[in-house]
Amino acid sequence: MSTAEGTIRNRIEELNQIKETAHEGDPAATERQHAKGKLTAHERIRLLLDKGSFNEVEPLRRHRAQGFGLEDRKPYGDGVVTGWGTVHGRTVFVYAHDFRIFGGALGEAHAQKIHKIMDLAEAAGAPLVSLNDGAGARIQEGVTALAGYGGIFRRNTRVSGVIPQISVMLGPCAGGAAYSPALTDFVFMVRETSQMFITGPDVVKAVTGEEISQNGLGGADVHAATSGVAHFAYDDEESCLEDVRHLLSLLPANNRELSPVERSGDPADRLNDSLLDLVPAEAGRVYDIRKVVEEIVDDGDYFEVHPAWAPNIVCALSRLDGHVVGIVANQPAATAGALDIEASEKAARFVQFCDAFNIPLITLVDVPGFLPGVDQEHNGIIRRGAKLLYAYCNATVPRVSLVLRKAYGGAYIVMDSLSIGADLALAWPTNEIAVMGAEGAANVVFRREINAADDPEAVRAQRIAEYKDELMHPYYAAERGLIDDVIDPRETRSVLIRSLDMLRAKHADLPSRKHGNPPQ
């Protein structure tokens, strides 16, 4: 063996030892991480990506900071693992905070690694997943660490609507660090071990006197059901990351591509006989719209977004004849399906996401109107409800709406009516499309006559029946071109599939502009 060859072999052995040290980390720190019920960065990446597909970038990076003892602690990787791999065979970029090193806190080198992987994801046109488990900015590095966050925020914004961005919260995320997940498309959280807040419980107590735990302030269930910051909450990391994989299987790699098509054995012309029993004809009776979605989509499989927040509207990704669709549906089982502030904002963000990534929209309408109330008005239902209107009006993807039962007032317009740009507007023969319900309309239009009558209730009942017969019969809107067709509910699946097939090559140009100014 030559000297040069021996040297190379020695160097390879040395390299392997260094990489093994960087990968394994401090065994005591790993044990502490596991004791908290948390996995390490590399363990999480292995769960997320296809087996053996991970390619790490800059595993040997070390910080160059001086002072406060940092010069004596220069671990490889600097507290973040970055790279790319595949999920179901498709390229995905990932970065994962390593809490074992500086508590996953962000310093200059740490930030630069994240910046690089974000730039690579943009250049390659592939989704970016962040596995968050960090203590915020590295205080010892001062404002340099804060600037690192600025670079992340700028990149989050630049690739918004260009590549899918998913944030998975697997530990603490406090202060300015919480704004990066807020800028991404979807936020996943794990109960008990992950929290998000701008100011922690100690600061809250010092400023307001309120005492609250970390989970009570910013835990997974709080953000999934109360604040709406998190889209999904899970009991463990394994099930969380499995659903991240499932979500990625439904999304395109970028805004220039379509979602992957996965054909199933579910016939496109399958009749939906059970819909005749699932949805009561009476407008005031309650039912679960999720059962309708299950009946229509391929194999009854759908992935609901924000299931615990604003339950009066359902947003979900699913497939029709193998093609991914976004579904927005009023939920009569919660506040009668009325639109309120939270439902409007939830649906608006979902519509915008689908439009950005070429996912056709199906809107199932059964809405009595906007939720009345002083609280709703004072908290801005006008401007915040307008977000959903703006999102639909701005969307250029194929759009099909279907009125199942009632569709009253401004809420009918907002729920992707033909007048705001739906490509096709359909209805079941149980539809009631009007300015308001017959009872309310009669009380307004015939108020004086009813009050002056010898038998007000009899006159009211007569006028309600007349209003229904003249202005709310199932074919009134169709006769005026506001509904394209009234369909047999049993044919809903096949009609929707044929409609989307026709619209597959839809192209629509927006006016030349820098960007719109949506309501806030």
Side-chain angles (χ1 to χ4, degrees), residues 268 298 320-321 492-501 504:
D298 291 357
L320 280 172
D321 197 28
T492 298
R493 172 177 164 83
S494 60
V495 170
L496 290 177
I497 288 174
R498 293 197 302 270
S499 299
L500 292 178
D501 282 344
R504 195 80 60 205

Side-chain angles (χ1 to χ4, degrees), residues 73-302:
R73 294 183 62 200
K74 294 188 176 183
Y76 291 112
D78 201 48
V80 65
V81 180
T82 61
W84 80 91
T86 60
V87 173
H88 301 300
R90 302 162 66 224
T91 299
V92 172
F93 288 81
V94 60
Y95 69 86
H97 298 130
D98 190 341
F99 196 84
R100 300 173 302 168
I101 299 174
F102 300 127
L106 182 138
E108 180 184 24
H110 182 121
Q112 288 174 349
K113 287 182 65 175
I114 295 175
H115 296 168
K116 179 164 187 173
I117 214 65
M118 295 179 80
D119 292 341
L120 284 173
E122 179 183 6
L128 174 70
V129 178
S130 63
L131 306 180
N132 298 269
D133 185 7
R138 195 173 299 169
I139 298 173
Q140 300 95 320
E141 294 194 32
V143 73
T144 306
L146 293 179
Y149 275 121
I152 294 173
F153 302 157
R154 179 165 57 88
R155 288 168 172 83
N156 285 139
T157 303
R158 188 173 69 205
V159 300
S160 179
V162 178
I163 58 172
Q165 300 180 80
I166 298 174
S167 297
V168 188
M169 314 311 296
L170 303 167
C173 185
Y179 282 113
S180 177
L183 289 169
T184 60
D185 299 306
F186 298 101
V187 176
F188 290 71
M189 293 188 74
V190 174
R191 295 183 177 93
E192 300 303 323
T193 58
S194 68
Q195 302 88 27
M196 296 173 68
F197 35 69
I198 299 302
T199 55
D202 292 341
V203 177
V204 170
K205 181 178 180 180
V207 175
T208 69
E210 299 171 289
E211 290 193 28
I212 192 167
S213 67
Q214 287 196 347
N215 283 317
L217 181 63
D221 288 322
V222 168
H223 286 311
T226 304
S227 73
V229 170
H231 299 77
F232 312 98
Y234 298 86
D235 291 329
D236 57 78
E237 296 189 14
E238 290 82 1
S239 58
C240 176
L241 292 170
E242 182 59 35
D243 263 8
V244 174
R245 287 175 57 86
H246 179 54
L247 175 59
L248 286 166
S249 74
L250 295 166
L251 304 181
N254 55 64
N255 66 338
R256 300 181 301 277
E257 299 182 11
L258 298 176
S259 297
V261 178
E262 290 187 9
R263 303 287 183 184
S264 73
D266 198 347
D269 59 355
R270 171 171 56 82
L271 293 179
N272 305 124
D273 295 285
S274 65
L275 291 181
L276 301 183
D277 299 315
L278 280 176
V279 181
E282 299 86 347
R285 288 184 59 190
V286 172
Y287 66 94
D288 188 348
I289 193 66
R290 294 183 181 91
K291 299 296 184 183
V292 176
V293 174
E294 284 180 14
E295 174 61 26
I296 293 171
V297 301
D298 291 357
D299 301 317
D301 185 32
Y302 65 94

Side-chain angles (χ1 to χ4, degrees), residues 439 442-457 459-461 463-464:
E439 292 79 4
N443 288 337
V444 172
V445 176
F446 306 109
R447 182 180 67 253
R448 292 181 180 177
E449 179 184 351
I450 291 171
N451 291 338
D454 294 334
D455 188 349
E457 289 305 316
V459 173
R460 179 181 287 107
R463 291 306 191 188
I464 289 173

Side-chain angles (χ1 to χ4, degrees), residues 194-512:
S194 68
Q195 302 88 27
M196 296 173 68
F197 35 69
I198 299 302
T199 55
D202 292 341
V203 177
V204 170
K205 181 178 180 180
V207 175
T208 69
E210 299 171 289
E211 290 193 28
I212 192 167
S213 67
Q214 287 196 347
N215 283 317
L217 181 63
D221 288 322
V222 168
H223 286 311
T226 304
S227 73
V229 170
H231 299 77
F232 312 98
Y234 298 86
D235 291 329
D236 57 78
E237 296 189 14
E238 290 82 1
S239 58
C240 176
L241 292 170
E242 182 59 35
D243 263 8
V244 174
R245 287 175 57 86
H246 179 54
L247 175 59
L248 286 166
S249 74
L250 295 166
L251 304 181
N254 55 64
N255 66 338
R256 300 181 301 277
E257 299 182 11
L258 298 176
S259 297
V261 178
E262 290 187 9
R263 303 287 183 184
S264 73
D266 198 347
D269 59 355
R270 171 171 56 82
L271 293 179
N272 305 124
D273 295 285
S274 65
L275 291 181
L276 301 183
D277 299 315
L278 280 176
V279 181
E282 299 86 347
R285 288 184 59 190
V286 172
Y287 66 94
D288 188 348
I289 193 66
R290 294 183 181 91
K291 299 296 184 183
V292 176
V293 174
E294 284 180 14
E295 174 61 26
I296 293 171
V297 301
D298 291 357
D299 301 317
D301 185 32
Y302 65 94
F303 190 64
E304 188 174 354
V305 176
H306 267 319
W309 185 59
N312 42 325
I313 201 157
V314 171
C315 298
L317 292 167
S318 189
R319 282 190 166 90
L320 280 172
D321 197 28
H323 296 273
V324 174
V325 296
I327 298 172
V328 179
N330 303 112
Q331 173 58 291
T335 60
L339 288 176
D340 60 5
I341 286 171
E342 291 184 347
S344 299
E345 293 187 332
K346 168 181 169 178
R349 188 85 194 285
F350 183 74
V351 168
Q352 288 173 175
F353 175 82
C354 290
D355 186 51
F357 290 103
N358 310 309
I359 298 173
L361 286 161
I362 300 291
T363 304
L364 304 179
V365 186
D366 192 348
V367 62
F370 280 92
L371 186 68
V374 174
D375 181 66
Q376 289 288 308
E377 296 293 346
H378 287 186
N379 283 288
I381 184 62
I382 295 173
R383 63 178 174 82
R384 296 164 79 176
K387 292 181 182 182
L388 180 54
L389 179 61
Y390 188 98
Y392 268 127
C393 289
N394 204 45
T396 60
V397 292
R399 293 156 50 190
V400 180
S401 65
L402 172 64
V403 179
L404 309 186
R405 297 193 307 185
K406 57 191 176 296
Y408 297 157
Y412 151 67
I413 300 172
V414 170
M415 288 298 293
D416 206 19
S417 63
L418 207 61
S419 61
I420 66 169
D423 297 295
L424 287 173
L426 309 170
W428 285 357
T430 47
N431 79 82
E432 292 183 357
I433 304 173
V435 175
M436 63 177 68
E439 292 79 4
N443 288 337
V444 172
V445 176
F446 306 109
R447 182 180 67 253
R448 292 181 180 177
E449 179 184 351
I450 291 171
N451 291 338
D454 294 334
D455 188 349
E457 289 305 316
V459 173
R460 179 181 287 107
Q462 177 187 350
R463 291 306 191 188
I464 289 173
E466 289 176 1
Y467 189 87
K468 283 185 175 181
D469 290 341
E470 293 185 23
L471 297 178
M472 293 181 64
H473 62 79
Y475 312 106
Y476 184 86
E479 290 170 357
R480 284 151 183 80
L482 299 175
I483 290 293
D484 290 303
D485 196 13
V486 179
I487 67 171
D488 184 334
R490 294 171 295 184
E491 298 178 353
T492 298
R493 172 177 164 83
S494 60
V495 170
L496 290 177
I497 288 174
R498 293 197 302 270
S499 299
L500 292 178
D501 282 344
M502 177 273 293
L503 290 165
R504 195 80 60 205
K506 175 186 175 183
H507 176 77
D509 290 319
L510 291 172
S512 177

